Amino acid sequence: MRKYTGPALFSGGFRPFFLLAGIWSALAMALWIAWFTGGIDLPAVFDPFSWHVHEMLFGFGAAALAGFLLTAVPNWTGQLPVAGLPLAALAALWLAGRVAVMTGAALGPVAVMVIDAAFLIALALLLGREIVRADNRRNLIVIAFVLALAAANLGFHWVAGHGGAPYQGWPARLGISVLVMLISLIGGRIVPSFTRNWLAARGPGPLPTPAGRFDVATLIASGAALALWTAAPEAKLSGIALLAAGLLQLARLGRWRGLRTFAEPLVTILHLAYLFLPLGFLLLGSALVDPARVLPAAGLHAWLAGGVGLMTLAVMTRASLGHTGRPLHAGARELAIYAPVLVAAIARIVAGLGGPDWLLHLAAGGWVLGFGLYALLYAPILARPRGAARKPSRAPRPA
């Protein structure tokens, strides 16, 4: 670690970007509900639906991804983490994109696109340099995904600038596919790893199955299914591929011993979040194979509200605790954060399956509450210097 004497908020990438992700996720959802119901009228460059999709994928999603990668890549490569002024400048690029997209109708689509695209491109270049410098070729795949997310963002702006509705087009599908694959790839590393560490510390018993050919086959099948869906979103072949990938993903999750983790919610939440990935594949595949029975919205929100939303919270809370020297344990504070977003994900999926409209309000409220609580309760943790982990209390002296 380099000697750093500046504000604690910019001492590590997870600090500003996890805080920004929490704040923006709650605020953007609240703004969209107000805009959609006619309470406000934002001078944005997109229509309300496209703005909502864009800010969940390329605003909130990109911030959470940046916080994770800026913390993980130094661990993978042994390089010094980005801190201080460069980190603050990167956060400023992300903020500039949010302001430009939300208020930039007068700037014009090209100017807004340039401002908004700068963040993901800068992030890919910065992390790519560190990985190449360390000759850590195994993780170049992560940079490819960041560049693919940047390409989807550029495509989103291009479609909107030519009069289209990008939330219905290939840029949105590509952005969703990238985030789903990143959770499948990175979640496939951290979920069994953290589970193994926790179970091993508790004593004998079955441990997660080590990664092998089955995991590789699952990733390949998932990537192929998502590529088909991105290119042909209504084809039955895409639906069949999604169904097959969903079954493989479900079997993969079953190999990680999640049923043994209920004593520690900080581990259990990782398994619950990942469960929404195969659920999304199965629901969206069913919608393409039998559109009269299942709507695509159910599968999409299983991925986005459940997989992306809940996995993001699971990783943000765990990393925030661990990297600030606090015990890796979920207490009442963390349960209060997880529960509303879990309820929101379930409510949004059921609404997508034809449930009553009040479930949409429950989903929106749960999302705002969960991420708002994260921002409120974790802001002091993220903004203060790293503290020593709490020591276990001493046993009482015998009488």
Side-chain angles (χ1 to χ4, degrees):
M1 295 290 292
R2 63 165 58 89
K3 187 176 181 180
Y4 177 77
T5 58
L9 184 62
F10 296 109
S11 62
F14 72 95
R15 292 177 179 268
F17 282 108
F18 283 174
L19 183 58
L20 288 171
I23 293 171
W24 187 240
S25 182
L27 181 59
M29 180 64 76
L31 287 172
W32 181 68
I33 295 300
W35 191 6
F36 179 71
T37 56
I40 61 173
D41 185 17
L42 296 177
V45 291
F46 301 134
D47 64 86
F49 281 103
S50 294
W51 182 82
H52 169 61
V53 172
H54 183 274
E55 289 310 292
M56 289 296 106
L57 294 177
F58 308 111
F60 155 66
L65 178 62
F68 175 81
L69 291 180
L70 288 168
T71 307
V73 167
N75 290 333
W76 298 342
T77 63
Q79 301 292 310
L80 292 172
V82 178
L85 188 58
L87 181 57
L90 197 61
L93 272 182
W94 180 88
L95 282 168
R98 308 288 59 75
V99 173
V101 170
M102 185 170 64
T103 65
L107 292 175
V110 175
V112 172
M113 179 179 68
V114 170
I115 295 169
D116 185 44
F119 170 70
L120 280 170
I121 294 172
L123 178 66
L125 292 174
L126 178 64
L127 295 175
R129 182 193 66 178
E130 300 303 310
I131 290 175
V132 170
R133 181 184 293 175
D135 197 25
N136 188 250
R137 299 179 185 275
R138 173 175 178 257
N139 288 304
L140 281 175
I141 182 69
V142 175
I143 305 307
F145 280 121
V146 176
L147 289 173
L149 193 64
N153 189 23
L154 286 168
F156 208 96
H157 284 277
W158 186 87
V159 171
H162 286 76
Y167 76 94
Q168 295 178 322
W170 67 264
R173 294 193 298 275
L174 178 58
I176 292 168
S177 297
V178 168
L179 292 184
V180 169
M181 280 303 298
L182 280 169
I183 292 174
S184 188
L185 177 67
I186 297 173
R189 296 182 188 180
I190 65 174
V191 177
S193 175
F194 292 157
T195 303
R196 174 179 290 275
N197 293 342
W198 185 79
L199 289 175
R202 287 178 61 84
L207 298 175
T209 305
R213 293 180 179 177
F214 182 81
D215 297 86
V216 174
T218 301
L219 289 171
I220 292 173
S222 299
L226 288 167
L228 277 172
W229 172 67
T230 300
E234 298 179 359
K236 284 195 174 182
L237 178 61
S238 301
I240 294 169
L242 289 168
L243 288 172
L247 292 174
L248 289 172
Q249 287 280 8
L250 196 59
R252 187 190 193 203
L253 176 61
R255 292 153 56 93
W256 295 341
R257 309 296 181 184
L259 294 177
R260 295 191 62 213
T261 66
F262 291 141
E264 179 46 72
L266 201 66
V267 181
T268 306
I269 195 65
L270 293 167
H271 292 263
L272 282 175
Y274 198 93
L275 177 59
F276 284 99
L277 238 63
L279 183 60
F281 276 102
L282 294 172
L283 286 172
L284 186 56
S286 299
L288 299 186
V289 172
D290 191 1
R293 293 181 180 272
V294 183
L295 297 176
L300 292 175
H301 284 94
W303 278 341
L304 297 174
V308 175
L310 205 57
M311 183 63 80
T312 296
L313 274 181
V315 171
M316 291 198 308
T317 49
R318 185 183 183 93
S320 299
L321 293 172
H323 287 281
T324 58
R326 290 168 171 81
L328 288 174
H329 170 68
R333 174 183 58 193
E334 285 70 35
L335 293 178
I337 292 170
Y338 300 152
V341 177
L342 178 59
V343 170
I346 295 171
R348 190 60 186 86
I349 293 167
V350 175
L353 291 171
D357 288 345
W358 62 263
L359 288 172
L360 297 173
H361 301 290
L362 177 62
W367 184 276
V368 172
L369 178 59
F371 280 96
L373 282 174
Y374 172 81
L376 178 66
L377 298 176
Y378 270 70
I381 294 174
L382 296 169
R384 291 173 184 167
R386 176 185 173 91
R390 297 176 186 174
K391 297 180 181 179
S393 58
R394 296 181 181 177
R397 294 181 180 179

